[in-house]
């Protein structure tokens, strides 16, 4: 088990002399605590798998260092890092039994038979694999094979961290929740540092205590699921987290007011020092904008459609060139064309060039 420090870590597949903007992973520095459950979240091509492969040793970084418990392991091989990595597709021996698969890493290290048997029994019990120990792996379902792959990593007691690279890709949707719950239970039981790569926000937010959101090779925000939802530090985080994502629209902001399409929206904080050259936008989640009957003083919107999600309804509306999603209050009858929008000032954020601006009280 280890604390992991990334120090000015960066990587380019085009050579060390390539411009930094072309790097697959732009320079980052951050610390992941021992025993933490982390998720690297972002779209395809954002750099999350590159970062995972740098930590595991599959790829050598172009710049920077990786420390495990303060020790520089950047030049070490994957084997010497004591990393367990679980990939999209199960890495197991189909011709072996489940028991033989779990025991294989320990046999390679020459451990005594008694110690191997005890450890295999423990891990099989944690993963609900005990009934299948004597069965050939080839006859098992995809989710069972992925459990075996996970068990092969966990069976070693010297593992510093467990890395997951989209491990539920081949799993049926109805089984994904069960496996995520199993991973959380394992994390609590074993107190291992776990890092989970995914493009699926549901997987990330339900697995991790800390979610690291990546975009264009950069870490744009790291925080708890609640922090990412309530206070996105970057417009990309607001858009990427949530369903539907945050409304991001251009606005003129001065003091405690934002103006959109000639209408004023109240803000909880004051913004008096915004750059005159920056692109200014406001962001508000659909849960904090309500549809209301048209009325003086309310921002007027044209309703395009209503999405009924069962527990909540969202209206899709247009204000000038901007599109919004807004909550339909329970029992409210949506007009055929125009409606007013009511904003909760406490949840309206201001962004300058895509970055959150902290106003003054």
């Amino acid at each position: 088990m280890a604390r992991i420090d990334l120090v000015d870590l960066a990587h380019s597949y085009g050579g060390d002399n390539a411009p930094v903007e072309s790097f697959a992973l732009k320079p980052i520095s951050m610390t992941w605590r021992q025993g933490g459950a982390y998720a690297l979240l972002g779209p395809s091509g954002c750099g999350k798998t590159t970062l995972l492969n740098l930590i595991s040793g599959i790829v050598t970084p172009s710049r920077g260092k990786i420390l495990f418990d303060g020790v520089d392991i950047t030049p070490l091989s994957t084997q010497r890092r004591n990393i367990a990595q679980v990939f999209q597709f199960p890495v197991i021996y189909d011709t072996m039994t489940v028991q033989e698969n779990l025991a294989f890493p320990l046999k390679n290290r020459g451990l005594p038979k008694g110690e191997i048997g005890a450890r295999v029994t423990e891990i099989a019990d944690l993963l609900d694999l005990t009934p299948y120990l004597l069965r050939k792996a080839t006859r098992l379902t995809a989710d069972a094979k992925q459990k075996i792959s996970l068990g092969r990593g966990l069976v070693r007691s010297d593992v510093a961290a467990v890395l997951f690279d989209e491990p539920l890709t081949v799993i049926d949707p109805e089984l994904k929740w069960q496996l995520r719950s199993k991973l959380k239970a394992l994390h609590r039981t074993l107190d291992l540092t776990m890092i989970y790569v995914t493009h699926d926000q549901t997987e990330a937010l339900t697995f991790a205590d800390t979610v690291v959101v990546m975009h264009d090779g950069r870490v744009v925000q790291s925080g708890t699921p609640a922090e990412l939802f309530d206070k996105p530090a970057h417009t990309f985080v607001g858009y990427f987290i949530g369903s539907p994502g945050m409304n991001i629209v251009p606005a003129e902001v001065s003091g405690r007011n934002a103006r959109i399409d000639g209408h004023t929206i109240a803000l909880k904080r004051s913004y008096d020092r915004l750059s005159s050259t920056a692109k200014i936008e406001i962001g508000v989640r659909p849960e904090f904008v309500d549809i209301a009957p048209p009325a003086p003083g309310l921002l007027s919107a044209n309703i395009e459609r209503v999405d009924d999600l069962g527990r909540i309804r969202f209206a899709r509306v247009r204000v000038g060139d901007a599109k919004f999603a807004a909550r339909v209050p329970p029992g409210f009858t949506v007009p055929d064309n125009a409606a007013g929008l009511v904003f909760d000032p406490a949840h309206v954020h201001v962004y300058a060039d895509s970055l959150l601006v902290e106003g003054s009280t």
Side-chain angles (χ1 to χ4, degrees), residues 4 6 9 11 13 25 28 32 38-40 47-60 66 68 78 81 83-88 161-167 193-198 214:
I4 300 174
L6 311 179
L9 193 69
H11 187 68
Y13 292 104
L25 182 71
I28 65 169
W32 292 334
Y38 296 87
L40 299 179
K48 55 188 186 294
T49 296
T50 295
L51 178 53
L52 198 74
N53 289 338
L54 291 172
I55 295 170
S56 69
I58 293 175
V59 175
T60 301
I66 303 169
F68 282 8
T78 299
R81 296 183 188 200
I83 288 288
Q85 191 158 0
V86 181
F87 298 93
Q88 292 183 16
V162 184
L163 313 182
F164 303 94
D165 191 357
E166 310 244 16
T193 304
M194 292 187 174
I195 303 171
Y196 189 109
V197 162
T198 181
M214 300 189 67

Side-chain angles (χ1 to χ4, degrees), residues 28-187:
I28 65 169
S29 295
M30 62 190 313
T31 295
W32 292 334
R33 69 187 184 279
Q34 185 278 317
Y38 296 87
L40 299 179
L41 175 65
S44 297
C46 71
K48 55 188 186 294
T49 296
T50 295
L51 178 53
L52 198 74
N53 289 338
L54 291 172
I55 295 170
S56 69
I58 293 175
V59 175
T60 301
S62 302
R63 302 179 186 176
K65 297 186 296 184
I66 303 169
L67 309 179
F68 282 8
D69 287 334
V71 178
D72 186 359
I73 55 88
T74 312
L76 299 185
S77 65
T78 299
Q79 183 178 7
R80 294 182 62 191
R81 296 183 188 200
N82 291 326
I83 288 288
Q85 191 158 0
V86 181
F87 298 93
Q88 292 183 16
F89 302 98
V91 180
I92 60 175
Y93 296 105
D94 280 338
T95 57
M96 290 184 179
T97 65
V98 173
Q99 185 178 52
E100 290 168 338
N101 265 283
L102 295 178
F104 189 79
L106 303 181
K107 286 184 176 179
N108 275 351
R109 285 163 174 76
L111 270 65
K113 285 186 178 181
E115 186 176 337
I116 292 174
R119 187 63 177 170
V120 167
T121 298
E122 178 185 359
I123 296 301
D125 184 57
L126 287 172
L127 292 170
D128 301 324
L129 289 172
T130 302
Y132 310 103
L133 281 174
L134 300 181
R135 291 180 59 177
K136 296 287 187 181
T138 189
R139 300 176 182 176
L140 300 180
T141 59
D143 63 303
K145 289 182 178 181
Q146 193 63 298
K147 284 184 180 180
I148 298 171
S149 184
L150 173 60
R152 283 164 54 88
L154 296 177
V155 76
R156 291 163 42 204
S157 59
D158 62 346
V159 168
V162 184
L163 313 182
F164 303 94
D165 191 357
E166 310 244 16
L168 303 185
T169 299
V170 299
I171 306 303
D172 291 337
E174 63 269 21
L175 296 175
K176 286 187 176 183
W177 184 268
Q178 297 178 26
L179 277 181
R180 283 200 301 270
S181 298
K182 177 58 66 177
L183 289 176
K184 287 290 289 183
L186 286 170
H187 176 254

